[in-house]
């Protein structure tokens, strides 16, 4: 403590300022609930692997799962997916592939009749 006393005092002064209090409240509202969810619901109390690399991989995977879950809940999916899949606009990749394969098949048939 005595070694870094000036830095500690500077940090304390920063946290006592109005801007520091505002940033601390924001962190408590944004960051801390994520860690609470990871600890309680995603099994991050312990890491079964050994070493920092294994723990880091597990933390990244848990954070990815957390973000994916939030994204899936926030995403507004279409009511009927089959209607969306049935539409084939002329400029789509699917229409392009149909044209290419039909030309390829017709060229194969014409080559087969020549020989």
């Amino acid at each position: 403590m005595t070694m870094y006393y000036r830095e500690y005092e500077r940090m304390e002064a920063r946290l006592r300022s109005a801007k520091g209090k505002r940033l601390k409240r924001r962190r408590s509202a944004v960051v801390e609930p994520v860690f609470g969810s990871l600890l309680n619901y995603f099994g991050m109390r312990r890491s079964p692997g050994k070493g920092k690399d294994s723990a880091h991989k597990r933390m990244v995977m848990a954070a990815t799962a957390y973000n994916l879950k939030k994204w899936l809940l926030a995403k507004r999916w279409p009511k009927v997916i089959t209607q969306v899949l049935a539409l084939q606009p002329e400029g789509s990749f699917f229409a392009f592939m149909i044209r290419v394969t039909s030309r390829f098949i017709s060229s194969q048939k014409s080559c087969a009749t020549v020989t």
Side-chain angles (χ1 to χ4, degrees):
M1 175 79 168
T2 59
M3 185 178 199
Y4 298 106
Y5 188 71
R6 286 195 325 230
E7 287 81 6
Y8 178 77
E9 287 293 321
R10 194 173 77 209
M11 186 258 321
E12 284 290 324
R14 188 180 303 162
L15 286 176
R16 282 192 297 258
S17 70
K19 182 179 177 183
K21 289 178 183 176
R22 189 171 60 244
L23 289 174
K24 189 173 181 181
R25 273 196 312 269
R26 181 167 170 80
R27 178 182 173 194
S28 295
V30 174
V31 176
E32 309 261 338
V34 174
F35 286 116
S37 295
L38 289 175
L39 288 173
N40 292 322
Y41 305 119
F42 287 83
M44 290 300 298
R45 289 195 184 273
R46 302 189 113 202
S47 180
K50 292 184 179 180
K52 287 183 183 179
D53 289 338
S54 177
H56 178 72
K57 287 176 191 173
R58 184 164 164 87
M59 185 65 178
V60 168
M61 290 302 293
T64 303
Y66 179 83
N67 288 335
L68 184 61
K69 181 180 173 185
K70 281 185 74 171
W71 180 76
L72 287 172
L73 290 174
K75 181 88 172 134
R76 301 216 188 274
W77 299 99
K79 294 270 184 201
V80 180
I81 296 174
T82 54
Q83 289 179 348
V84 175
L85 295 176
L87 295 176
Q88 297 171 5
E90 195 55 40
S92 71
F93 180 74
F94 184 69
F96 170 76
M97 287 305 293
I98 288 175
R99 284 195 307 269
V100 168
T101 53
S102 64
R103 287 181 187 161
F104 178 74
I105 291 170
S106 65
S107 69
Q108 292 295 324
K109 286 180 182 176
S110 64
C111 290
T113 56
V114 171
T115 54

